Amino acid sequence: MTEHTKVGSAVLRAVHTTDYGTLTCGDALDCLRSLPSDSVRLIVTAPWFQGPYVIDSMDPTSHRFGDWLVAFMEECERVLLPDGSVVLELGCTWAADLPVRTIQHYAALSRLVGEHGWHLLQELYYYNPQLMGAWDTWGGPGASRLNDCVSNFYWLARTPDVPADTARALAFQNTLLNQSGNLLALGDTYHDYLHLRQRASEGKPPEPERNPVSVPLYFIELLTRPDDHVVDPFGGTGSTAIAAELTQRHWTCNDLSRDAVDIAKDRLALLKAHATS
């Protein structure tokens, strides 16, 4: 168990450990509260786009979502190093009652920057048509709206003087794009295919909502160095944990869903098995 993480909450369960990190199951805030202050270089995560709320067209900016995200970011500030970074994947959602967009993420970001002292260092756009089909009420083939193909990442920090090495990110970009640009075209890695092949052999479909390992790997290479501590409180099926293991970063990853955490545990075991085979 890495010394960076101490699970102190009865509702936060440690599920798996490696030499570099700890995988937990519980609430994202409990995960952050378990960490010491000033210990984390990078938090890279995808909070629920709506938070724990249903957002409709009568309240498209959802102040409740803003309150929820502000509370989350306050705990992020506590655990971050003074020049650490938070990278949030946040996007629009469809209103529950009409085929219109909600903008709760923009309203919340405006509060974070305008009222709470965060700096928005840059937005990055991830072109992801295969994994972002809008199979919900209003999107999808034959529906009244188009599929989403781009996911937004917002890079925030308490200071504009954040150590970043853009040269380390150049190898990730498709040569048809600007290799030092903020439009990302990142696909599955070998370690994703290991997992997908394993699920296929067990007669299981791919998870419908996942980011390939290359996504957190990109931000880890851009914003951290070996032995830094990387945290993903909404860790899903473990792509950030895999990326941190591959780059020898200490890590803490968590998800509220036990099913997702069990998949992450299996992926970490698969990574170890192939590393030693």
Side-chain angles (χ1 to χ4, degrees):
M1 182 173 181
T2 175
E3 63 181 8
H4 289 282
T5 304
K6 297 179 181 178
V7 179
S9 170
V11 296
L12 188 69
R13 293 169 290 165
V15 174
H16 185 74
T17 62
T18 73
D19 289 341
Y20 283 101
T22 300
L23 177 67
T24 61
C25 184
D27 184 78
L29 272 178
D30 284 329
C31 172
L32 292 173
R33 288 167 181 152
S34 74
L35 303 174
S37 300
D38 302 319
S39 64
V40 175
R41 172 64 62 192
L42 171 64
I43 297 170
V44 54
T45 196
W48 308 337
F49 282 13
Q50 299 185 119
Y53 306 108
V54 175
I55 301 175
D56 61 34
S57 61
M58 298 301 292
D59 184 24
T61 60
S62 185
H63 198 274
R64 293 181 303 162
F65 173 83
D67 292 342
W68 178 77
L69 191 65
V70 165
F72 173 76
M73 292 295 285
E74 286 174 349
E75 201 59 31
C76 288
E77 180 181 3
R78 183 188 66 80
V79 303
L80 276 181
L81 293 163
D83 57 355
S85 294
V86 179
V87 174
L88 300 177
E89 182 182 13
L90 287 174
C92 299
T93 61
W94 298 108
D97 57 329
L98 292 173
V100 296
R101 288 295 213 183
T102 63
I103 56 169
Q104 73 288 336
H105 63 308
Y106 289 134
L109 287 165
S110 178
R111 286 175 61 181
L112 290 171
V113 174
E115 301 171 21
H116 295 276
W118 288 91
H119 295 279
L120 177 59
L121 302 189
Q122 194 161 21
E123 310 98 314
L124 295 96
Y125 305 96
Y126 171 35
Y127 178 61
N128 186 19
Q130 286 76 29
L131 299 178
M132 284 194 64
W135 309 114
D136 54 15
T137 306
W138 309 114
S144 58
R145 297 293 182 266
L146 303 174
N147 277 8
D148 290 324
C149 291
V150 174
S151 187
N152 295 358
F153 287 83
Y154 299 94
W155 173 19
L156 299 126
R158 300 300 295 179
T159 172
D161 299 318
V162 168
D165 188 345
T166 56
R168 293 205 302 270
L170 295 182
F172 286 81
Q173 285 290 50
N174 187 310
T175 55
L176 296 176
L177 302 174
N178 182 328
Q179 284 189 282
S180 58
N182 67 338
L183 175 61
L184 309 180
L186 305 171
D188 284 329
T189 68
Y190 168 73
H191 301 283
D192 295 295
Y193 285 120
L194 283 177
H195 167 61
L196 294 173
R197 187 172 63 190
Q198 172 100 0
R199 286 186 69 84
S201 71
E202 297 170 352
K204 298 176 182 177
E207 298 83 18
E209 296 181 7
R210 66 179 180 89
N211 275 330
V213 171
S214 57
V215 173
L217 190 63
Y218 175 89
F219 292 108
I220 287 171
E221 290 285 7
L222 177 67
L223 298 171
T224 73
R225 294 188 178 277
D227 290 328
D228 280 341
H229 188 192
V230 177
V231 174
D232 188 346
F234 297 91
T237 57
S239 289
T240 301
I242 301 293
E245 285 280 322
L246 292 171
T247 53
Q248 299 181 324
R249 272 63 165 176
H250 296 288
W251 58 268
T252 302
C253 289
N254 172 80
D255 201 85
L256 186 61
S257 165
R258 184 59 195 248
D259 289 342
V261 170
D262 284 343
I263 292 172
K265 179 181 177 181
D266 290 344
R267 294 181 72 189
L268 287 162
L270 192 62
L271 174 69
K272 182 176 181 180
H274 279 264
T276 57
S277 61

